[in-house]
Amino acid sequence: MSDACALTTKDNPYDPFEQFTSWFLFDVEHGYNSCGYLGRIARTSDQLSDEENNEEIERAIDEIIKYDFMNMYKKVYRRDAGAAAS
């Protein structure tokens, strides 16, 4: 199965998958606005499949990290709940 990924900052102690509200409040209070930044970079569409949108979101996260001159962002993963353990 595929991994879900998210954009976060290196100083955010919260899990964006399991603790989204706390993660989001920390992010906004520190002025990062990572969701908005990702939304401006990712070219998602209702006309794309969920898989295509997820691939575009991961591409956008990689682009943000590539040009992150302050080295503050990182990509984190969550394994799909239905995935079998290796």
Side-chain angles (χ1 to χ4, degrees), residues 4-9 16-17 20 23-24 27-28 31-45 52-66 72-76:
C5 67
L7 179 69
T8 191
T9 55
F17 299 106
F20 182 80
W23 174 88
F24 183 77
D27 189 74
V28 171
Y32 300 131
N33 300 309
S34 299
C35 290
Y37 185 21
L38 181 57
R40 289 189 304 274
I41 303 300
R43 297 182 296 261
T44 58
S45 169
E52 290 170 321
N53 277 320
N54 290 339
E55 289 173 2
E56 174 55 22
I57 290 167
E58 185 163 12
R59 183 211 60 81
I61 290 171
D62 291 342
E63 182 176 326
I64 289 169
I65 292 169
K66 178 179 178 180
M72 60 191 264
Y73 289 104
K74 67 179 181 176
K75 181 171 37 172
V76 292

